[in-house]
């Protein structure tokens, strides 16, 4: 895989030198970031931004590079600038078909934020409380009857426009002095990781202050813009899923686990929020050397405490498989794991539990059941670390 990226970088660098263009320089920067050649990626991105300051994708990628270099102040400035550009360029969406689970999530979240702010009903979400409750009931009943793929619903008028494209709200707080919990067993965590086929479970992962702050961020920020057809929603950094706390968690974890993360950088992260009783992410592998998955929903919401977390197999994706092959095609993946005699381990969902694992290991969201209600939805954050290329 690294060899293919290196070949692509060499070809793109040669082509860009002969015939420079913004798309080619962006493509080169992206490949260099995948290789972990961070300084070269940053140089190319700054040239793109100097030539065209209105490209949110270039500014966002520079934020990723600065986060990887642990220049968190610069990364946050880049992410905020990229988000502002992205929002300014959003087309106005008319009302119309909206994925049901996405409409229901947005309805519940905007009502929650209105209540949390103590504002008047209607500040964020059009319609009376009675109309909202009727819409919530109808969407919930339809989702209970839905098959594998979530259908869309037509919601007309101003309410439909808001549910299709909620206002951009980004909850910001300074990160606490320490984001990871106080513990002295990180060496033991690294030992378990190596002894257990590249996986280690860590309870009480975040400090109480960091846990509460991250929970507030996920509840009060309308960063959930990537609906998946099976019923969960992604919060991507491009759409506002970033803050000081997340970047600090990555930096603190590298310091706590030099046995695992020395020579690595934080390359990407996201959040997921799940629709009650719908399936989660199917079997796949990550584009990372080491992945972190941390769980945020309070234990009281988990109706089946021994389930609902992550299933991990002790066999990695073959080195010659493409990203598309190890991120889709569940039938082929399961056949491969059967032939390889892979063993599955299931980790139960717990509030403030984290899993560290080799990103190339196949994994999937475990089946579970969570209570109804916006605050009770299953939520997790994934962070990816890759090796840094020293040149």
């Amino acid at each position: 895989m690294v060899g293919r990226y290196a070949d692509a970088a060499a070809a793109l660098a040669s082509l860009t030198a002969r015939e420079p263009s913004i798309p080619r320089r962006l493509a080169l920067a992206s490949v260099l970031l995948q290789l972990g050649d961070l300084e070269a990626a940053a140089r190319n991105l700054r040239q793109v931004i100097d030539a065209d300051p209105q490209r949110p994708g270039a500014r966002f990628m520079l934020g990723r590079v600065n986060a990887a270099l642990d220049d968190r102040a610069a990364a946050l400035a880049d992410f905020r600038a990229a988000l502002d550009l992205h929002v300014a360029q959003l087309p106005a969406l008319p009302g119309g078909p909206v994925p049901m689970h996405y409409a229901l999530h947005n309805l519940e979240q905007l009502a929650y934020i209105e209540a949390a702010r103590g504002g008047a009903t209607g500040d964020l979400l059009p319609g009376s409380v009675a109309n909202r409750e009727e819409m919530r009931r109808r969407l919930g009943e339809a989702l209970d009857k839905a098959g594998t793929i979530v259908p869309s619903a037509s919601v007309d008028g101003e309410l439909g426009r808001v549910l299709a494209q909620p206002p951009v709200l980004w909850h910001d707080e300074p990160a606490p002095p320490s984001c990871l919990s106080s513990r002295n067993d990180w060496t033991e965590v690294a030992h378990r990781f190596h002894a257990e086929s590249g996986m280690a479970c860590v309870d009480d992962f975040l400090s109480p202050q960091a846990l509460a702050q991250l929970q507030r961020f996920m509840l009060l920020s309308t960063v959930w813009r990537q609906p998946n057809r099976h019923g969960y929603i992604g919060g991507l950094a491009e759409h506002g899923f970033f803050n000081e706390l997340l970047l600090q968690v990555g930096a603190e974890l590298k310091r706590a686990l030099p046995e695992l993360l020395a020579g690595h950088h934080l390359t990407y992260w996201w959040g997921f929020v799940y629709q009650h009783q719908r399936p989660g992410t199917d079997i796949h592998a990550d584009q990372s050397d080491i992945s972190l998955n941390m769980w945020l929903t309070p234990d009281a919401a988990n109706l089946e405490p021994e389930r609902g977390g992550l299933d991990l197999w002790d066999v990695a994706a073959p080195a010659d498989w493409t990203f598309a092959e190890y991120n889709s095609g569940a039938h082929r993946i399961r056949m491969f794991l059967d032939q390889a005699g892979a063993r599955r381990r299931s980790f139960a969902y717990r509030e403030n539990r984290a899993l560290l694992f080799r990103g190339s290991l196949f994994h999937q969201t475990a089946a579970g059941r969570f209570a109804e209600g916006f605050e009770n939805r299953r939520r997790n954050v994934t962070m990816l670390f890759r090796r840094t290329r020293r040149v």
Side-chain angles (χ1 to χ4, degrees):
M1 187 69 69
V2 171
R4 282 184 285 184
Y5 278 123
D7 290 343
L12 280 166
S14 176
L15 181 59
T16 303
R18 292 196 314 271
E19 302 174 33
S21 72
I22 286 178
R24 286 172 186 152
R25 202 169 289 284
L26 268 175
L28 175 59
S30 179
V31 174
L32 290 168
L33 176 57
Q34 293 296 336
L35 276 171
D37 192 345
L38 304 177
E39 297 290 353
R43 285 195 301 272
N44 281 277
L45 288 167
R46 291 188 185 104
Q47 290 181 55
V48 170
I49 292 167
D50 287 344
D52 185 358
Q54 300 304 307
R55 284 185 176 257
R59 195 67 188 265
F60 169 73
M61 197 185 304
L62 182 58
R64 284 182 61 191
V65 172
N66 280 324
L69 291 166
D70 203 25
D71 189 344
R72 284 170 269 164
L76 289 170
D78 289 326
F79 291 143
R80 290 188 180 110
L83 182 61
D84 289 344
L85 288 169
H86 171 73
V87 171
Q89 296 171 17
L90 281 175
L93 292 181
V98 184
M100 285 183 176
H101 68 298
Y102 188 57
L104 179 58
H105 173 272
N106 293 338
L107 180 74
E108 292 181 343
Q109 183 175 34
L110 292 174
Y112 176 89
I113 294 173
E114 277 188 354
R117 287 180 168 184
T121 299
D123 282 354
L124 297 174
L125 193 62
S128 67
V129 172
N131 287 341
R132 297 176 185 184
E133 180 57 29
E134 175 62 17
M135 176 65 69
R136 189 203 62 76
R137 184 189 63 78
R138 285 169 44 204
L139 289 169
E141 288 178 353
L143 283 166
D144 288 342
K145 299 173 184 176
T148 304
I149 306 302
V150 173
S152 293
S154 290
V155 184
D156 297 324
E158 182 62 20
L159 179 60
R161 286 188 288 275
V162 170
L163 296 186
Q165 188 170 282
V168 176
L169 304 172
W170 189 69
H171 180 75
D172 190 24
E173 299 178 51
S178 179
C179 290
L180 299 187
S181 61
S182 299
R183 59 194 315 133
N184 56 11
D185 65 343
W186 287 113
T187 299
E188 172 59 24
V189 170
H191 175 76
R192 289 203 310 271
F193 181 93
H194 291 300
E196 298 178 14
S197 304
M199 55 185 83
C201 181
V202 183
D203 285 324
D204 300 316
F205 180 70
L206 298 174
S207 69
Q209 298 87 349
L211 173 64
Q213 185 180 126
L214 187 52
Q215 289 169 333
R216 287 192 295 272
F217 174 79
M218 298 180 83
L219 291 169
L220 296 171
S221 300
T222 59
V223 295
W224 310 99
R225 306 278 169 161
Q226 196 79 11
N228 178 278
R229 61 181 185 161
H230 296 298
Y232 56 92
I233 306 169
L236 306 183
E238 296 95 311
H239 302 150
F241 196 84
F242 61 84
N243 61 14
E244 182 183 347
L245 185 150
L246 288 167
L247 299 187
Q248 187 168 320
V249 167
E252 288 186 24
L253 191 62
K254 286 176 59 180
R255 291 196 297 270
L257 283 171
E259 301 94 333
L260 297 185
L261 294 174
H264 289 67
H265 62 271
L266 175 64
T267 183
Y268 197 57
W269 58 92
W270 63 81
F272 280 144
V273 57
Y274 294 80
Q275 171 62 34
H276 304 295
Q277 312 353 323
R278 302 264 337 151
T281 53
D282 205 350
I283 191 166
H284 67 286
D286 292 337
Q287 197 173 37
S288 71
D289 293 302
I290 295 179
S291 294
L292 169 73
N293 199 306
M294 51 181 167
W295 300 328
L296 287 306
T297 304
D299 290 335
N302 187 357
L303 302 179
E304 296 179 346
E306 299 309 312
R307 305 177 71 202
L310 198 72
D311 293 335
L312 265 169
W313 282 262
D314 62 354
V315 170
D320 61 347
W321 280 25
T322 65
F323 177 80
E325 287 174 319
Y326 60 74
N327 259 270
S328 58
H331 178 69
R332 182 191 182 199
I333 293 172
R334 294 182 194 283
M335 286 183 59
F336 166 75
L337 290 174
D338 286 343
Q339 292 167 359
R343 294 173 297 173
R344 183 185 70 178
R345 288 193 63 186
S346 294
F347 294 88
Y349 192 99
R350 293 283 188 278
E351 180 185 21
N352 206 16
R353 170 173 283 180
L355 292 180
L356 280 159
F357 56 94
R358 283 195 293 138
S360 56
L361 294 178
F362 285 109
H363 54 282
Q364 69 177 17
T365 305
R369 193 162 68 94
F370 284 71
E372 296 291 331
F374 177 70
E375 293 174 88
N376 295 324
R377 287 171 176 261
R378 183 194 188 280
R379 293 177 174 86
N380 70 269
V381 173
T382 296
M383 306 181 83
L384 307 183
F385 295 86
R386 297 195 69 167
R387 292 182 183 88
T388 304
R389 183 183 183 191
R390 304 297 182 187
V391 293

